[in-house]
Amino acid sequence: MYLPYFSGIWLGVEWDDPQRGKHDGTYEGTQYFKCRHPRGGSFIRPNKANFGVDFLTAVKDRYGLKEQDVQNGTKNTLVLGKKTVELIGMDSIAEQQRQVHINLSKNLLSSWDTVTDIASQVPNLETLNISENKIKFPSTSISVSNVFSKLKVLALNQTEITWTEVLVCAQGWPALEELYLTSNNITVLERPDNVLQTLKLLDLSDNQLLDGDQLHQIAYLPRLEQLILRNTGISSIHFPDSEFGCKTKMFPSLKRLAINDNKISQWSSINELEKLPSLRSLQCHNNPLMDTEKNPETLRQLIIAKISQLEVLNKSEILPAERKGAELDYRKIFGKEWLAAGGNWNPERNKPSEEFLAAHPRYTALCLKYGAPEEGELKGQQPLTLKNQLLSKRPEMVKIILSSMTIQRVKGLLYRLLKIPGSELKLSYESSKLAGKEVELDNDLKPLQFYSIENGDCVLVRW
């Protein structure tokens, strides 16, 4: 292109890293080219541009070879220049290469046809990564071939592919099991009809979906076991085909779900996950909901109690004892609310409101599992004063607890002593030097010495 006031020819480029750019392809009010990022473009001289090379040229340049230097020798030999190289173990290598993995990421591939041509030379291709290539994909139809008939894993991250194009190309992926589509500006999903039916893993991270209802479009993939939705902008999850206490027909095989780094702020979305029939693992870090509880242990126990079949939460295994403690705590914590909403120890008079059941859909099941909370369990918080028990010896407790011990470990000790789960314990202390001033021990990860506790101080335990 020619630019006014500048002689010669200039090229418009869009940088993979937009921080290297200066504008969006517009100069002096004229749009010369378009960029996805408002400051991702630049103008450069042609002699500064690198247009890449084809694969064969790259190999020759890498090894300093000329055309006549590469020849086939006898069986299991290759002639490079004047040297004959014996290829040892070619039979075993050939056996391994029946399962081929190709990584073509971060290149200058620009056409899906080119990718298909490359793949056609590899009959046993199982894994293909073409991420970070600006590829033109077919958007209407393709001629289905067997080029990708054995492909199981495909990475298309940062390729600008749309969901419509995914469904078009998927006609040629009959055995695909894992599909990675991160950072493609995908906002709207469509239901896959007769494609992606073998898919077990789908990663849509870093695509800002229009809303959580977009998930309904992929909810009937029969074999989908793992769904990764990190940073997709969703604020809620809802399965409208089933009532509370019932399982949804959506995502029938889904075992592992990642919804971290989103905008989920309501417990109703966690309640909805109880409807998933196969869910076993959940990642939900960095959502506004996580800020509703000061104590991360309490938050974890609430989630465990709300999702009955969960086995792993935020990459941490849920042991049977932890589940039991969480469910007992939940039953006790919301016991007064249950009574106020119409709950009763008499089964004939136990009629909690629809509003309560919507907020606590598992509460009835927990009462059936452990029995309704007894009246004594629902009394107000009772303070317990422990003098010098944490930092020095006493005859009643044959233990020495160091000031380096974390609050979480102290709660573990108190659980063994008092049989009260740590999530229900609230710790604070009064300094012997500052009468009447109470300091809350609110960070389970901090050691006692962080709060300057010393011998003679009074630690209060409430539940």
Side-chain angles (χ1 to χ4, degrees):
M1 66 183 71
Y2 291 92
L3 298 177
Y5 313 112
F6 293 95
S7 61
I9 297 176
W10 294 78
L11 300 179
V13 298
E14 180 181 4
W15 301 100
D16 290 335
D17 180 3
Q19 294 183 355
R20 297 185 63 182
K22 297 180 178 179
H23 49 70
D24 65 349
T26 301
Y27 178 75
E28 295 289 337
T30 301
Q31 179 107 45
Y32 291 94
F33 64 99
K34 294 182 179 180
C35 291
R36 293 172 302 160
H37 193 278
R39 296 187 60 83
S42 298
F43 294 113
I44 63 172
R45 291 293 192 180
N47 62 341
K48 298 291 185 180
N50 183 346
F51 296 95
V53 297
D54 61 76
F55 178 74
L56 185 58
T57 300
V59 172
K60 292 177 181 177
D61 290 345
R62 173 67 177 82
Y63 296 100
L65 302 174
K66 296 180 181 179
E67 188 73 38
Q68 63 271 20
D69 289 338
V70 182
Q71 306 174 38
N72 289 323
T74 58
K75 182 180 180 181
N76 291 346
T77 65
L78 182 67
V79 179
L80 298 178
K82 297 181 179 180
K83 294 183 178 181
T84 300
V85 178
E86 184 177 0
L87 306 178
I88 304 298
M90 288 303 295
D91 292 337
S92 61
I93 292 175
E95 179 68 24
Q96 295 175 15
Q97 289 182 339
R98 290 182 181 179
Q99 298 178 344
V100 181
H101 307 263
I102 295 180
N103 186 346
L104 296 173
S105 62
K106 299 182 179 180
N107 280 293
L108 298 175
L109 300 174
S110 59
S111 167
W112 181 247
D113 289 338
T114 301
V115 175
T116 302
D117 289 342
I118 295 173
S120 67
Q121 307 301 312
V122 189
N124 296 307
L125 181 62
E126 289 197 356
T127 300
L128 176 62
N129 184 356
I130 54 173
S131 301
E132 299 184 56
N133 285 280
K134 301 298 185 288
I135 296 176
K136 178 67 174 178
F137 293 92
S139 57
T140 53
S141 62
I142 60 171
S143 55
V144 179
S145 66
N146 62 354
V147 171
F148 299 105
S149 61
K150 298 182 180 180
L151 188 65
K152 293 183 178 180
V153 180
L154 177 60
L156 297 172
N157 306 319
Q158 298 184 52
T159 56
E160 301 184 7
I161 193 170
T162 67
W163 184 252
T164 298
E165 292 168 344
V166 168
L167 298 185
V168 170
C169 295
Q171 300 173 52
W173 310 332
L176 194 66
E177 296 182 357
E178 298 182 15
L179 179 58
Y180 299 87
L181 297 170
T182 70
S183 304
N184 280 306
N185 296 317
I186 295 173
T187 58
V188 178
L189 302 178
E190 303 170 47
R191 185 165 179 169
D193 291 325
N194 302 318
V195 294
L196 301 180
Q197 301 301 298
T198 58
L199 202 63
K200 294 182 179 180
L201 181 152
L202 176 60
D203 189 351
L204 289 168
S205 298
D206 299 313
N207 292 287
Q208 296 302 300
L209 298 179
L210 185 62
D211 52 45
D213 289 346
Q214 296 302 312
L215 303 182
H216 299 167
Q217 301 297 324
I218 56 173
Y220 296 98
L221 293 173
R223 300 184 185 179
L224 187 64
E225 296 181 359
Q226 183 170 358
L227 181 59
I228 306 173
L229 299 170
R230 180 180 57 80
N231 188 31
T232 52
I234 59 175
S235 59
S236 65
I237 297 175
H238 180 49
F239 305 116
D241 68 325
S242 61
E243 299 294 331
F244 289 117
C246 301
K247 297 298 183 182
T248 178
K249 293 182 180 179
M250 297 182 177
F251 297 105
S253 302
L254 189 64
K255 296 179 180 179
R256 296 178 292 278
L257 175 64
I259 52 173
N260 34 316
D261 301 302
N262 279 294
K263 301 176 182 179
I264 296 172
S265 60
Q266 301 296 322
W267 281 105
S268 57
S269 292
I270 301 298
N271 291 338
E272 287 289 313
L273 298 181
E274 165 66 9
K275 296 179 180 180
L276 293 171
S278 303
L279 186 64
R280 298 295 181 269
S281 175
L282 174 66
Q283 294 182 44
C284 55
H285 282 308
N286 300 328
N287 280 279
L289 179 65
M290 305 300 113
D291 299 327
T292 59
E293 290 287 338
K294 293 174 61 176
N295 189 330
E297 184 181 353
T298 300
L299 185 76
R300 175 179 171 86
Q301 292 203 326
L302 288 173
I303 296 174
I304 291 172
K306 284 179 173 290
I307 307 177
S308 61
Q309 68 274 22
L310 208 59
E311 297 174 354
V312 179
L313 176 58
N314 292 326
K315 299 184 179 181
S316 178
E317 183 181 3
I318 302 169
L319 298 176
E322 183 181 18
R323 169 162 294 284
K324 182 177 181 180
E327 293 178 340
L328 286 171
D329 282 357
Y330 191 94
R331 167 181 151 275
K332 188 187 303 182
I333 290 170
F334 297 100
K336 286 187 175 181
E337 188 176 336
W338 169 70
L339 288 173
N344 197 285
W345 291 285
N346 185 339
E348 295 180 359
R349 299 171 59 187
N350 180 31
K351 298 179 180 179
S353 66
E354 290 295 324
E355 183 180 2
F356 177 85
L357 294 177
H360 308 282
R362 283 207 71 215
Y363 199 87
T364 299
L366 293 179
C367 287
L368 291 173
K369 184 175 182 179
Y370 300 106
E374 297 179 5
E375 187 173 3
E377 296 181 89
L378 305 181
K379 291 182 179 180
Q381 293 181 334
Q382 301 294 325
L384 173 66
T385 300
L386 304 177
K387 289 185 177 180
N388 302 328
Q389 287 189 356
L390 297 181
L391 295 168
S392 63
K393 256 186 205 179
R394 288 193 56 175
E396 300 94 319
M397 179 188 293
V398 189
K399 287 183 180 294
I400 295 177
I401 299 181
L402 303 177
S403 59
S404 59
M405 180 178 285
T406 64
I407 302 301
Q408 188 172 29
R409 290 189 62 192
V410 172
K411 287 183 176 181
L413 173 63
L414 289 169
Y415 171 72
R416 291 191 292 274
L417 292 172
L418 305 174
K419 305 304 179 186
I420 298 174
S423 62
E424 196 170 334
L425 296 175
K426 306 295 181 183
L427 303 188
S428 61
Y429 86 97
E430 293 179 351
S431 172
S432 59
K433 299 177 181 178
L434 298 172
K437 183 176 181 180
E438 185 175 339
V439 179
E440 186 178 359
L441 307 179
D442 57 355
N443 191 328
D444 286 358
L445 302 180
K446 295 293 186 182
L448 291 171
Q449 61 194 13
F450 175 81
Y451 295 96
S452 302
I453 300 177
E454 56 187 35
N455 288 329
D457 291 346
C458 177
V459 176
L460 303 176
V461 183
R462 293 185 174 90
W463 66 92

